Amino acid sequence: MRLFSFATAEKRTHYLWVLRAFDHARGNYTVLLHAGDVETVLNRIAADRPGDGPEASDLPALLEQLHAWGVLERSYDGTRAATLAEYRNRHYVYQFGQAGYRAFRAVEDVLSARGEDVSLSRLALADLLADLTELADANAAGDGELVYRKLNRLDSTLSDMAERAARFYLVLGDLVRTTEITPEVFLDQKDALLTHMREFSSDLARYAPKLTAALDRVHATGSDTLPTLAAQHDERVLLSFEEREADWRMRWRGVEHWFVGVGSAPSESERLRGATINAISAVLSLLRRLTEQRRGGVSRESQLRHLAGWFANAPTEDAAHALFGAVFDLGRPRHFSIPHPDADVIPVTRSWWEAPPVEISRTLAETGRRPAAGAPGRIQRNDAGVRRLREKQLETQRRRAQAAKSLAVGGVRERELSEPEAEVLLSLLDAALSARVPVSGRVRSDEGTSGTQNGVKLTLRPSEESMVVRTARGSLYLDHLSVEVQ
């Protein structure tokens, strides 16, 4: 996580502009940059925003700090030296590290993200069908290069669809759940939003059988050979053939799972269609709520705020209880609508506050359903977890007992208590202070309180002077109290 330090540092704007200069140069196929090169690129890309970029004199320090965080990699370039003095000054050039570039892109993507720039990739379904059809023909013909290109495109298209859908439903969920909805904005865009989701759901249902049939054609041509053919034409030279083949086998398995479910689990396409239908229902529910608010003139939020004001301004506690009973009426219904065994003695109309409790089953209390006759559930035992927790508990007790013994032997005066001893002392103080009973606002001078744990007794007495106990956490000040431990 040190790679992201540039995003929270004091000069984060300057660091970001320096990294943007490296990213701009990378796009022009220039990898290594000297401090002077960074200055040149910054003058070109930040010309329309004067004052945002760093000064030229600050660039060496910024580059060194980015190198210290691991975002940039540094190397020595002696070819830049024109004289012996310049050669001795050690000219450094910098470039993005692999992890550093990913950290920069992550921050840049967050800064440039737009919440309204989301959509479902409906037009990609036709491309998926065409790619699967051509993949079956290429596999049947043994064209490894075409198999590699089609598999790579299928993987990219499905990854893009999944990412777009995740962003779309994330933004849509925030819109549905938020309490700061602007009715005018939503009502203006509701038609386009509903039309977009309905068209995507309709196209997905229409293409689903065609995509499944195309996948069956690929299986008929021998899908086991696809990863091998793709690995033979994969140009990732730093990976061995076995690693490339395993990677493509995993990718092809992901493509299959998108169209066909595994076991009882639904496929990704079915889950996506179900999520779209649920999202349409959520949007219609939100539309209904906004319409009711506009028709009634008072929102639910406004009602709750007024009710909270009534509770805050209630003159007495009894008045607040009466207001609660009148608004929510939670005192009249009793015990999940279960009557008392003797309805003549305890009628169902008697309030919760007055009627004795009725015993109910655990199933009804936890799930809201009445218990049904059936086989008892299987007990899930985790003996290893219980044993591990028991050993941890015993070890904690042993450490606490040792700390208590050490505290009793050494006392609390003229020494610094360790962390375990400080914990024992604080728990004893808590017990002793809880036992104090004030009389007329003060404790008589001849009285004392005590607390006992782990065989150690702490006595707390009033004193004319304050006491300071030094611990590993810091100093504990006891105002006009003295502590004795035995």
Side-chain angles (χ1 to χ4, degrees):
M1 304 307 295
R2 188 180 74 253
L3 293 169
F4 291 95
S5 300
F6 72 90
T8 57
E10 181 180 358
K11 297 182 179 180
R12 51 187 174 272
T13 305
H14 292 173
Y15 289 123
L16 189 60
W17 273 109
V18 170
L19 294 178
R20 284 171 177 168
F22 277 89
D23 186 48
H24 182 80
R26 181 190 178 105
N28 294 327
Y29 308 105
T30 302
V31 178
L32 297 173
L33 293 181
H34 185 264
D37 300 331
V38 175
E39 180 184 1
T40 303
V41 177
L42 282 176
N43 292 334
R44 185 166 62 250
I45 65 176
D48 56 339
R49 300 183 63 176
D52 289 349
E55 299 292 336
S57 58
D58 297 335
L59 288 178
L62 296 175
L63 292 171
E64 283 298 311
Q65 185 59 60
L66 289 170
H67 168 65
W69 284 329
V71 182
L72 297 180
E73 295 182 357
R74 185 183 68 182
S75 58
Y76 178 65
D77 185 10
T79 60
R80 292 178 173 272
T83 64
L84 181 60
E86 291 183 357
Y87 181 82
R88 289 173 178 172
N89 286 336
R90 299 182 64 83
H91 284 255
Y92 286 112
V93 289
Y94 301 85
Q95 63 177 336
F96 266 123
Q98 184 177 4
Y101 180 71
R102 291 178 180 270
F104 164 72
R105 288 310 317 169
V107 174
E108 193 75 350
D109 290 343
V110 170
L111 294 177
S112 60
R114 296 175 55 192
E116 66 275 8
D117 189 15
V118 292
S119 64
L120 297 169
S121 49
R122 178 173 61 91
L123 301 179
L125 297 173
D127 295 335
L128 287 175
L129 180 61
D131 289 338
L132 282 174
T133 303
E134 294 178 8
L135 178 63
D137 297 337
N139 191 37
D143 190 346
E145 182 178 354
L146 185 56
V147 166
Y148 166 73
R149 288 193 284 110
K150 292 304 174 182
L151 269 182
N152 194 23
R153 182 169 171 174
L154 278 171
D155 180 67
S156 301
T157 304
L158 290 178
S159 299
D160 181 69
M161 283 189 65
E163 184 177 355
R164 282 172 174 264
R167 290 202 306 267
F168 181 83
Y169 292 124
L170 178 64
V171 174
L172 187 62
D174 293 340
L175 175 65
V176 172
R177 290 191 302 268
T178 183
T179 58
E180 302 295 335
I181 303 171
T182 304
E184 291 75 13
V185 175
F186 179 75
L187 293 176
D188 290 342
Q189 300 177 352
K190 66 176 178 60
D191 292 334
L193 185 64
L194 289 172
T195 301
H196 180 64
M197 288 191 294
R198 284 170 176 164
E199 288 180 351
F200 178 78
S201 178
S202 176
D203 286 352
L204 188 59
R206 181 163 54 90
Y207 274 97
K210 299 179 181 180
L211 292 171
T212 304
L215 185 64
D216 293 338
R217 282 192 57 197
V218 177
H219 286 159
T221 60
S223 59
D224 293 338
T225 61
L226 290 175
T228 304
L229 292 175
Q232 292 174 352
H233 294 81
D234 193 340
E235 297 179 346
R236 291 178 291 178
V237 295
L238 298 181
L239 297 179
S240 64
F241 176 79
E242 290 76 14
E243 291 175 333
R244 297 197 300 267
E245 184 179 9
D247 179 57
W248 281 110
R249 196 171 299 280
M250 181 180 65
R251 295 192 190 189
W252 172 246
R253 195 178 300 116
V255 172
E256 290 180 318
H257 291 174
W258 200 91
F259 296 103
V260 181
V262 180
S264 59
S267 64
E268 291 297 322
S269 60
E270 293 173 350
R271 291 176 55 190
L272 183 57
R273 186 184 177 194
T276 306
I277 295 175
N278 293 335
I280 293 174
S281 301
V283 171
L284 291 176
S285 176
L286 176 61
L287 176 62
R288 189 183 311 110
R289 189 165 76 243
L290 291 176
T291 305
E292 292 175 354
Q293 290 179 5
R294 301 187 86 188
R295 185 185 302 117
V298 179
S299 65
R300 183 65 170 172
E301 180 183 358
S302 175
Q303 294 174 349
L304 292 176
R305 289 183 182 275
H306 280 82
L307 181 60
W310 292 348
F311 276 110
N313 297 324
T316 62
E317 188 173 345
D318 292 337
H321 281 295
L323 177 61
F324 182 88
V327 172
F328 298 104
D329 196 22
L330 296 181
R332 188 174 300 279
R334 294 186 55 244
H335 309 296
F336 298 95
S337 301
I338 298 179
H340 195 274
D342 192 348
D344 294 333
V345 177
I346 309 295
V348 296
T349 56
R350 186 169 298 181
S351 171
W352 258 355
W353 304 107
E354 301 173 357
V358 175
E359 294 185 0
I360 62 174
S361 65
R362 181 182 295 272
T363 303
L364 182 59
E366 294 181 350
T367 64
R369 298 190 300 270
R370 296 179 181 271
R378 183 178 179 181
I379 299 178
Q380 300 292 337
R381 298 186 181 275
N382 187 1
D383 296 334
V386 173
R387 185 167 55 255
R388 183 173 62 255
L389 293 176
R390 179 58 178 165
E391 292 174 355
K392 183 178 179 180
Q393 182 184 25
L394 292 176
E395 179 64 24
T396 302
Q397 292 177 355
R398 283 194 294 269
R399 289 199 304 267
R400 192 173 183 85
Q402 293 175 359
K405 182 178 179 181
S406 174
L407 182 65
V409 173
V412 298
R413 299 177 182 273
E414 298 180 357
R415 74 186 189 97
E416 181 177 314
L417 305 185
S418 63
E419 183 77 17
E421 291 176 340
E423 292 182 2
V424 174
L425 176 64
L426 291 176
S427 62
L428 290 172
L429 282 174
D430 183 39
L433 292 172
S434 300
R436 299 177 67 189
V437 181
V439 179
S440 299
R442 59 180 299 177
V443 179
R444 297 203 325 239
S445 60
D446 57 343
E447 290 185 346
T449 58
S450 63
T452 303
Q453 287 185 7
N454 297 101
V456 179
K457 181 178 180 182
L458 180 141
T459 304
L460 199 62
R461 300 182 186 278
S463 173
E464 295 297 332
E465 299 180 355
S466 300
M467 184 175 179
V468 180
V469 180
R470 292 185 297 109
T471 70
R473 299 183 180 181
S475 298
L476 175 64
Y477 294 87
L478 302 175
D479 190 17
H480 294 290
L481 293 173
S482 66
V483 174
E484 295 178 5
V485 180
Q486 59 187 9

